[in-house]
Amino acid sequence: MTVSSAQEQFIHLIRLGWDLRVLGVSNSLVIPASGPPVLEIMSTGGVEIRVRVIRRAWGWVFTWRPWWSVLWRRSEWVWANDDLAANMIMAAVTA
């Protein structure tokens, strides 16, 4: 049995959502009828942050900036398999 790209995205977002929950951050997983799943986080300033997970040449990354943002700027993405991904996302979002 192979895992589809959408299923991999879902798995990464579920893990991130749980890690954020452990940090005391409320979040919601949105699974649209069409399109990729996203994790929604409400920042301390009341701004809704939408975290997406996308596949790059070297693996999966979380990004919380708009789709058109420059992906190679370290402040806009983090490796999905990084154990500290939730901490890094929260630091970047609340900065």
Side-chain angles (χ1 to χ4, degrees):
M1 179 175 161
T2 62
V3 178
S4 72
S5 181
Q7 288 172 318
E8 286 188 67
Q9 290 174 322
F10 176 79
I11 291 165
H12 287 299
L13 290 172
I14 287 292
R15 187 178 45 78
L16 176 63
W18 191 264
D19 291 347
L20 289 168
R21 181 181 178 274
V22 169
L23 294 175
V25 177
S26 296
N27 59 81
S28 300
L29 181 63
V30 177
I31 306 172
S34 63
V38 295
L39 190 70
E40 292 182 345
I41 306 166
M42 191 62 69
S43 74
T44 54
V47 177
E48 181 181 272
I49 308 299
R50 298 189 82 170
V51 179
R52 292 168 177 79
V53 60
I54 58 175
R55 183 187 297 263
R56 304 309 300 165
W58 301 280
W60 290 94
V61 296
F62 293 123
T63 183
W64 50 95
R65 301 293 185 226
W67 64 269
W68 44 262
S69 68
V70 180
L71 193 56
W72 53 85
R73 290 183 58 197
R74 187 64 180 157
S75 63
E76 297 176 353
W77 65 272
V78 63
W79 292 110
N81 290 326
D82 191 325
D83 290 336
L84 298 176
N87 294 342
M88 294 164 74
I89 290 171
M90 287 315 303
V93 167
T94 58

